[in-house]
Amino acid sequence: MRRTSSHAQDHIMAERKRREKLSQRFIALSALVPGLKKMDKASVLGDAIKYLKQLQERVKSLEEQMKETTVESVVFIKKSQLSADDETSSCDENFDGCREDAVRDIEARVSDKNVLIRIHCKKQKGFVAKVLGEIEEHHLSVVNSSVLPFGKHAMDITVVAQMGDELQVTVKDLVNNLRLAFLKFM
Amino acid sequence: MRRTSSHAQDHIMAERKRREKLSQRFIALSALVPGLKKMDKASVLGDAIKYLKQLQERVKSLEEQMKETTVESVVFIKKSQLSADDETSSCDENFDGCREDAVRDIEARVSDKNVLIRIHCKKQKGFVAKVLGEIEEHHLSVVNSSVLPFGKHAMDITVVAQMGDELQVTVKDLVNNLRLAFLKFM
DNA sequence: AGGTACACGTGATGC
DNA sequence: TGCATCACGTGTACC
């Protein structure tokens, strides 16, 4: 074997190239980590690890926050036929056959697992209990509720409920279900 | 010099320790990068770099999206007005400089002397008191109120108030006044 | 001086 | 067998 066999030289060159590649990536990595004081290899790795962890945390936090701030809402405004009533303007669908004069307005909004339900209706004895019962029969657990009298004949019900993990319902379906359910006792 | 001088041995041990530290950090880093096929040092660095870049992109995108959705939800003022008004009231026009990211929805309805105000907004310290105070400064006497937490960051305020005999306000003016008033502390 | 950090060449190992 | 990767000891430079 010659002292400088071609194989040995290739080996040296290959290793040199490998080191060069690693060195380049260290530089590239250190360029991505902000506030890097030590350009030490160990420090670059350590700070990159810390930075990466806190980035992951931030992404997770932001994604959760996104879920919660993304609220879809649907409003169904019925025909209001009471005397001193205000707006008959707005909204979407007309439920042709429904002659319900008690519930004027059902609104729901869903955010993550939370559901907010607003009902504007005439005062009716036992209506609140039925509403809450109906809500809970829809696999929603009521976590809070409020009933405010509005004038002599109207009231405003606000319910916050939570969905189970298994079902994810759209707002429209939810409102439809609730409306159909409420029609039963009117 | 002895063949195995203590200095040389220290050098060897120090270098050995340094390599060990680097090796550990490589392992730690590779544990953070998901979907890592090659456990190659160069591949670990390369994939970590790619992953870190896309994490940064994602954070930036999410942060932008957060601000956009909060701004976008401003536009969500209810259409509550008397007839014979513009029917395109859902789109709130320019409140250019004021960045209202807290209140997502204000709704009001008037019946005789009674006023029902619904506010859907982010949780803010002292916000409820300010809202009630502002309402009362508009010549409305609060007769009932309810604050329901909705998820971690949102809340739903419902207020029933009564107007004095002297003034009769339209729903639109009321909502506009309240919205302008709420802008002060946001 | 003593400590730290790096690049280099080299032998070994695994596909 | 080549080819790629690794750990090791060593020389060296910088504070």
Side-chain angles (χ1 to χ4, degrees):
Chain A
M1 298 278 267
R2 275 199 306 271
R3 294 183 39 176
T4 57
S5 82
S6 57
H7 291 164
Q9 287 299 335
D10 288 354
H11 186 34
I12 291 179
M13 291 307 290
E15 179 68 12
R16 208 174 288 187
K17 205 169 78 178
R18 169 180 166 270
R19 276 198 299 265
E20 180 62 24
K21 186 165 65 180
L22 279 179
S23 214
Q24 256 180 331
R25 305 217 165 162
F26 264 104
I27 294 176
L29 179 60
S30 64
L32 292 179
V33 180
L36 202 57
K37 180 68 187 301
K38 302 281 201 178
M39 288 300 277
D40 211 351
K41 279 189 181 179
S43 302
V44 168
L45 278 185
D47 289 355
I49 289 174
K50 278 191 289 184
Y51 180 57
L52 210 154
K53 279 182 183 173
Q54 85 185 41
L55 266 189
Q56 286 176 333
E57 287 292 329
R58 179 147 189 78
V59 165
K60 203 173 74 178
S61 165
L62 281 177
E63 279 176 345
E64 280 185 11
Q65 213 168 344
M66 273 296 295
K67 269 191 180 178
E68 290 183 357
T69 52
T70 306
V71 178
E72 44 172 340
S73 69
V74 166
V75 190
F76 282 51
I77 296 192
K78 316 295 185 185
K79 284 180 135 187
S80 51
Q81 61 268 24
L82 234 83
S83 51
D85 214 345
D86 40 346
E87 77 278 59
T88 66
S89 69
S90 69
C91 246
D92 25 351
E93 325 185 7
N94 263 354
F95 287 92
D96 37 15
C98 68
R99 66 290 181 208
E100 112 203 31
D101 49 351
V103 174
R104 294 179 204 159
D105 173 341
I106 299 180
E107 176 184 355
R109 44 184 79 199
V110 173
S111 171
D112 202 13
K113 298 300 177 188
N114 301 298
V115 184
L116 177 68
I117 304 169
R118 290 165 166 176
I119 302 174
H120 195 74
C121 56
K122 280 167 73 174
K123 280 183 184 172
Q124 269 182 304
K125 221 177 178 63
F127 182 67
V128 179
K130 288 176 180 174
V131 165
L132 293 182
E134 198 62 39
I135 288 176
E136 285 182 338
E137 279 191 7
H138 278 71
H139 307 92
L140 295 174
S141 63
V142 174
V143 296
N144 216 329
S145 70
S146 157
V147 180
L148 300 186
F150 179 51
K152 289 175 193 161
H153 307 101
M155 63 179 175
D156 196 82
I157 307 176
T158 309
V159 177
V160 175
Q162 282 182 342
M163 291 188 287
D165 288 341
E166 66 280 359
L167 76 152
Q168 181 77 19
V169 192
T170 70
V171 194
K172 188 173 179 180
D173 290 341
L174 178 63
V175 171
N176 272 330
N177 287 337
L178 291 177
R179 184 182 54 91
L180 289 178
F182 294 157
L183 283 181
K184 292 193 306 188
F185 35 82
M186 280 176 198
Chain B
M1 299 280 267
R2 278 198 304 270
R3 294 183 41 165
T4 57
S5 80
S6 57
H7 293 163
Q9 287 299 334
D10 288 354
H11 186 34
I12 291 179
M13 292 307 290
E15 178 67 13
R16 208 174 288 189
K17 205 170 78 178
R18 170 180 166 272
R19 276 197 301 264
E20 180 62 26
K21 186 164 64 180
L22 279 178
S23 211
Q24 260 180 333
R25 306 218 164 159
F26 264 103
I27 294 176
L29 179 60
S30 63
L32 292 179
V33 181
L36 201 57
K37 177 76 185 302
K38 304 280 204 177
M39 288 301 276
D40 206 351
K41 278 188 181 179
S43 302
V44 168
L45 278 186
D47 289 354
I49 289 174
K50 278 192 289 185
Y51 180 57
L52 211 155
K53 279 182 183 174
Q54 85 185 41
L55 267 189
Q56 286 176 334
E57 287 289 330
R58 180 146 188 78
V59 165
K60 204 173 73 178
S61 165
L62 281 177
E63 281 174 346
E64 282 184 9
Q65 209 169 345
M66 276 295 293
K67 298 204 170 175
E68 279 188 7
T69 53
T70 49
V71 165
E72 190 177 352
S73 58
V74 178
V75 190
F76 218 74
I77 301 286
K78 274 287 171 29
K79 35 179 115 179
S80 309
Q81 76 260 4
L82 284 155
S83 55
D85 245 291
D86 53 6
E87 59 270 294
T88 63
S89 61
S90 64
C91 235
D92 182 24
E93 65 280 353
N94 44 350
F95 279 87
D96 42 9
C98 53
R99 41 187 224 89
E100 160 192 357
D101 50 353
V103 173
R104 295 177 194 151
D105 182 345
I106 300 180
E107 178 184 354
R109 46 182 77 201
V110 174
S111 172
D112 198 13
K113 299 300 178 188
N114 299 299
V115 183
L116 177 67
I117 304 168
R118 291 165 166 175
I119 302 174
H120 194 74
C121 56
K122 281 165 75 174
K123 281 183 184 172
Q124 270 182 304
K125 219 179 181 65
F127 184 67
V128 180
K130 287 176 180 173
V131 165
L132 293 182
E134 198 63 39
I135 288 176
E136 286 183 337
E137 280 191 7
H138 278 70
H139 308 92
L140 296 174
S141 65
V142 174
V143 297
N144 215 329
S145 71
S146 158
V147 181
L148 298 186
F150 180 51
K152 288 176 193 158
H153 306 99
M155 63 179 175
D156 198 82
I157 307 175
T158 309
V159 177
V160 175
Q162 284 182 342
M163 291 187 288
D165 288 342
E166 66 281 1
L167 76 155
Q168 182 76 19
V169 192
T170 70
V171 190
K172 183 179 181 179
D173 289 340
L174 178 62
V175 171
N176 275 330
N177 286 337
L178 290 178
R179 190 184 37 157
L180 288 177
F182 293 159
L183 283 181
K184 292 193 306 187
F185 36 82
M186 276 173 205

